[in-house]
């Protein structure tokens, strides 16, 4: 499949910046939540810990996808 200028409209340019911005936002939110510590009902502590861990995992995953996309890898054929 060949792609001209119309086929890769979403690729390149500002597309990769969105992945990096999302990764940075998740990481910053995770660090803020981690440093803020815990306040409130102790029954919600596991939920808050899971939420902060999910932010760090999401930031790592988003940065990985951004790296792959900026390297020119957009899909994987499993055939």
């Amino acid at each position: 499949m060949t792609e001209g200028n119309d086929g890769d409209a979403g690729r390149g340019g500002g597309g990769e910046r969105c992945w990096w911005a999302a990764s940075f936002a998740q990481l910053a939110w995770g660090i803020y939540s981690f440093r803020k510590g815990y306040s409130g009902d102790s029954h919600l502590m596991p939920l808050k810990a899971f939420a902060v861990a999910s932010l760090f995992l999401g930031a790592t995953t988003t940065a990985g996808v951004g790296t792959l996309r900026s390297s020119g890898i957009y899909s994987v054929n499993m055939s």
Side-chain angles (χ1 to χ4, degrees), residues 30-69:
I31 291 172
Y32 170 76
S33 298
F34 182 74
R35 286 190 176 178
K36 181 179 161 187
Y38 178 74
S39 63
D41 187 17
S42 64
H43 291 71
L44 296 178
M45 181 60 188
L47 180 63
K48 286 191 84 172
F50 178 77
V52 171
S54 296
L55 286 170
F56 285 118
L57 182 63
T60 304
T61 303
T62 307
V65 170
T67 301
L68 291 174
R69 290 185 63 92

